[in-house]
């Protein structure tokens, strides 16, 4: 059994990492705010805290901060930013010191740079993602018991981010250095790490790492209270003949044990609805290691994962709104030649119009 201490930090500079509480909010660049509003507000049931011509600020029923998702209008779909909440305004300063200490450029943004959010620090993290650390945020009403307002998928809160990176081991090192605990991994006998789940709050994860061409956003996950709400959303999509928004599931994850559904929003951003994973808050919470050969790891019922789930992801912006180039030329070369490397060491060979998934190193 591997034991992970979530407070263990790899500080080489003497500056401790900031005390991150949890994944806080994400900003998605979307091309059609009205289409996105249908998806996130009407279908999923997020609440609009504020909106203007350029953006919609959304929160879930249990959340009292201004937003957990910003939809910002842009020309191309992309991830605008991932934001982690830290334990106090002094920890925003701590983030600045820590990242400068490890050679990462930092940018301080004034209160209001994002509507509803206080003074914060932004970085392009060593994995290539635009990330913000914030504490101060406007409070709004918490709608936990406003059952009269619950509708759609009755989303309760943001649960986690999932990012695609070419080197999962390096990303794992970066996040454990930032003080994240490791709840679960997918590995093989040769010491390869295909995916990892890391947490600060007392659940399975705040961020997960998916192997693939990066930096790309794999998905953003929202929690709902009960699995019947997930099933209801599938029924609603079928009734509206909008079933094409369903990409994978519903099902039971092996990793995390959560009940899940993956949807693609009108711009193709992947959203997971997720419920009932488990408590990880004790300091000796054991890391669960799944073999990449265990067919229950991603679907506890053994269903095959659809290829798009392994191969597709959203491109990310840098802090100035430019698309960050992909950092794995070998993988892109493989894509060009018809072999697409996805998560878990799986690949897809194209033969004419046919796409044949196979495991790397095996004959098609
Ligand atoms: O597909 S996995 O079962 O590995 C999985 C994917 C487990 C938990 C997640 O949140 C996820 O996105
Ligand atoms: Fe997830």
């Amino acid at each position: 059994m591997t034991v992970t201490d979530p407070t263990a930090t790899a500080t080489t500079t003497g500056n401790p990492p900031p005390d991150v509480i949890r994944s806080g909010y994400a900003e998605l660049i979307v091309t059609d705010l009205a289409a996105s509003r249908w998806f996130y507000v009407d279908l999923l049931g997020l609440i609009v805290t504020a909106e203007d011509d350029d953006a919609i600020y959304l929160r879930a029923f249990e959340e009292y901060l201004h937003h957990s998702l910003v939809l910002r209008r842009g020309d191309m779909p992309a991830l605008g930013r991932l934001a982690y909440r830290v334990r106090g305004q002094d920890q925003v300063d701590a983030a600045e010191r820590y990242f400068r200490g490890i050679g990462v450029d930092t940018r301080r943004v004034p209160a209001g740079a994002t509507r509803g959010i206080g003074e914060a620090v932004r970085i392009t993290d060593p994995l290539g993602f635009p990330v913000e650390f914030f504490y101060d945020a406007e409070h709004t009403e918490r709608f936990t018991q406003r059952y009269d307002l619950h509708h759609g998928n009755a989303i309760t809160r943001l649960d986690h981010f999932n990012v695609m990176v070419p080197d999962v081991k390096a990303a794992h090192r970066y996040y454990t250095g930032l003080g994240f605990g490791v709840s679960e991994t997918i590995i093989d006998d040769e010491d390869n790490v295909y995916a990892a789940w890391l947490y600060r709050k007392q659940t399975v994860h705040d961020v997960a790492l998916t192997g693939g061409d990066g930096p790309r956003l794999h998905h953003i996950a929202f929690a709902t209270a009960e699995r019947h709400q997930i099933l209801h959303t599938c029924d609603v999509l079928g009734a509206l003949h909008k079933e094409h928004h369903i990409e994978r599931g519903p099902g039971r994850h092996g990793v995390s044990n959560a009940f899940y559904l993956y949807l693609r929003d009108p711009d193709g951003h992947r959203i997971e609805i997720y419920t009932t994973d488990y408590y990880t808050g004790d300091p000796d919470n054991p890391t669960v290691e799944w073999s990449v050969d265990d067919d229950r790891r991603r679907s506890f019922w053994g269903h095959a994962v659809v290829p798009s789930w392994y191969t597709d992801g959203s491109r990310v912006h840098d802090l100035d709104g430019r698309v960050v180039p992909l950092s794995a030329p070998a993988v892109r070369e493989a894509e060009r030649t018809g072999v697409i490397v996805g998560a878990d060491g799986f690949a897809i060979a194209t033969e004419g119009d046919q796409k044949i998934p196979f495991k790397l190193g095996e004959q098609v």
Side-chain angles (χ1 to χ4, degrees):
M1 184 176 78
T2 315
V3 173
T4 310
D5 175 358
T7 60
T9 54
T11 48
T12 49
T13 61
N15 296 318
D19 186 349
V20 173
I21 309 171
R22 60 179 175 87
S23 44
Y25 79 89
E27 179 172 298
L28 291 176
I29 309 301
V30 300
T31 57
D32 180 343
L33 279 177
S36 299
R37 200 180 198 287
W38 168 77
F39 182 85
Y40 290 97
V41 179
D42 300 345
L43 180 72
L44 297 187
L46 291 173
I47 303 158
V48 178
T49 300
E51 62 189 317
D52 53 40
D53 288 346
D54 290 322
I56 309 178
Y57 302 80
L58 299 166
R59 70 186 196 278
F61 291 113
E62 286 182 2
E63 294 173 328
Y64 61 86
L65 294 191
H66 188 265
H67 59 258
S68 54
L69 181 66
V70 182
L71 304 172
R72 190 170 300 283
R73 193 157 52 84
D75 295 337
M76 298 279 289
L79 170 69
R81 180 156 71 253
L82 299 174
Y84 291 104
R85 194 166 196 221
V86 294
R87 198 163 295 281
Q89 203 57 29
D90 63 322
Q91 294 304 303
V92 172
D93 302 336
E96 189 172 46
R97 281 194 300 272
Y98 175 73
F99 285 107
R100 284 192 181 163
I102 62 169
V104 173
D105 286 341
T106 61
R107 188 181 294 184
R108 212 167 244 277
V109 293
T114 305
R115 192 163 166 180
I117 303 292
E119 190 181 358
V121 161
R122 291 184 187 166
I123 58 167
T124 297
D125 78 9
L127 313 174
F129 291 88
V131 173
E132 176 175 286
F133 296 87
F134 76 100
Y135 173 69
D136 277 338
E138 244 176 66
H139 285 202
T140 55
E141 192 182 344
R142 184 176 228 166
F143 282 162
T144 308
Q145 290 185 314
R146 287 297 307 272
Y147 290 105
D148 54 318
L149 300 178
H150 292 200
H151 70 279
N153 207 129
I155 303 294
T156 52
R157 57 179 177 76
L158 173 72
D159 191 83
H160 61 264
F161 309 136
N162 186 308
V163 295
M164 293 174 92
V165 291
D167 185 343
V168 173
K169 254 193 198 172
H172 178 288
R173 251 193 325 275
Y174 163 67
Y175 266 110
T176 51
L178 196 49
F180 283 60
V182 185
S183 58
E184 307 210 14
T185 57
I186 296 178
I187 54 171
D188 66 15
D189 295 341
E190 284 150 31
D191 201 31
N192 293 310
V193 184
Y194 297 90
W197 285 259
L198 299 108
Y199 62 97
R200 286 293 301 178
K201 70 178 178 320
Q202 302 182 343
T203 63
V204 169
H205 58 319
D206 288 288
V207 68
L209 311 171
T210 298
D213 217 350
R216 286 182 298 165
L217 174 71
H218 191 273
H219 64 265
I220 294 168
F222 289 95
T224 190
E226 294 173 46
R227 66 183 179 208
H228 71 80
Q229 282 155 331
I230 289 178
L231 301 175
H232 178 64
T233 291
C234 294
D235 285 338
V236 169
L237 284 167
L240 296 175
H241 212 324
K242 290 184 183 284
E243 69 288 350
H244 58 275
H245 286 282
I246 300 175
E247 183 187 37
R248 177 183 163 203
R252 167 84 60 199
H253 284 308
V255 171
S256 82
N257 191 46
F259 196 82
Y260 71 89
L261 173 69
Y262 294 94
L263 301 172
R264 302 291 288 268
D265 85 354
D267 284 289
H269 296 304
R270 184 180 293 104
I271 298 297
E272 181 180 16
I273 315 296
Y274 179 96
T275 185
T276 47
D277 59 355
Y278 59 90
Y279 167 77
T280 58
D282 281 21
D284 58 352
N285 182 74
T287 300
V288 178
E289 294 179 335
W290 289 83
S291 161
V292 74
D293 293 318
D294 188 334
D295 280 339
R296 300 167 308 164
R297 70 195 187 289
R298 291 195 179 274
S299 162
F300 198 56
W301 309 331
H303 290 115
V305 174
V306 291
S308 64
W309 191 89
Y310 281 136
T311 56
D312 295 1
S314 304
R315 298 293 293 270
V316 313
H317 276 181
D318 67 14
L319 297 184
D320 297 312
R322 288 179 301 242
V323 176
V324 177
L326 296 182
S327 62
V331 175
R332 267 180 292 143
E333 177 60 14
E335 276 189 19
R336 202 180 57 73
T337 53
V339 179
I340 304 168
V341 177
D344 296 0
F346 289 93
I348 295 168
T350 41
E351 243 179 48
D353 286 347
Q354 251 200 321
K355 289 187 189 302
I356 310 163
F358 69 101
K359 187 133 188 239
L360 287 182
E362 280 174 6
Q363 292 291 342
V364 184

